[in-house]
Each structure stands twice: as structure tokens, then as C-alpha cells.
Amino acid sequence: MADDLDLADVERRIKAIFIGSVGNLVEWYDFYAYTAFRSFTRAGVLPNSDPVVQQLNASRAVRRDLLMRPLGGWLFGYIADR
């Protein structure tokens, strides 16, 4: 009967969803931690002595990361599907 659920398949899918969710959580935690603490670390990381320029450079890095994340996901997803 086609309506019967295969218990092993359901468990495999739930495990895959859980593992993928944990990986995504760790990735976004890293991104949020960088964003939250960028104002504290910008003086040691960014080379300019002007705090406004340092903050703008840190914000530009965050914007670049937010743009590249979906583009990289699309590109590497396309490559993986091939």
C-alpha cells in the first residue's frame, strides 16, 4: 500500500532536518556574534584611526557577507546538483 509510512525513512528525514538545522544555527550564531561585537573589535582589526570610518568598514563587511551568502548558496547548490 502506497499510503504506509516507512518508519526508517521518516527517522532518516527527521535526523537530516535536525542536523541541517544545527549546522545552520551554528553558522548564523557566528554571523550574529561578529555583528554584535564588531564595534568592540574594529579598532584592532580595521586599519584606520577614525572610528566612523572603522564602523563604516565593519558595516560594509557585514553587508558584503549578507549578499554573498545567498549567492554562494545558489552557486554551490547548482554545482552540487550537477
Side-chain angles (χ1 to χ4, degrees):
M1 185 180 230
D3 293 336
D4 290 337
L5 291 176
D6 184 16
L7 187 58
D9 186 48
V10 171
E11 288 176 358
R12 183 183 56 83
R13 289 179 186 215
I14 290 174
K15 183 179 177 182
I17 290 170
F18 179 73
I19 291 171
S21 298
V22 169
N24 195 18
L25 176 72
V26 170
E27 180 181 357
W28 279 104
Y29 172 76
D30 180 41
F31 187 73
Y32 287 140
Y34 171 75
T35 303
F37 295 113
R38 72 175 183 225
S39 61
F40 300 113
T41 60
R42 67 178 185 228
V45 177
L46 299 171
N48 199 332
S49 62
D50 186 11
V52 175
V53 174
Q54 288 176 342
Q55 185 66 32
L56 290 173
N57 285 337
S59 297
R60 185 172 61 196
V62 171
R63 285 193 311 266
R64 182 186 63 230
D65 291 344
L66 283 174
L67 175 67
M68 294 310 292
R69 188 176 303 263
L71 291 177
W74 173 80
L75 175 66
F76 290 114
Y78 178 76
I79 291 170
D81 288 343
R82 305 286 310 215

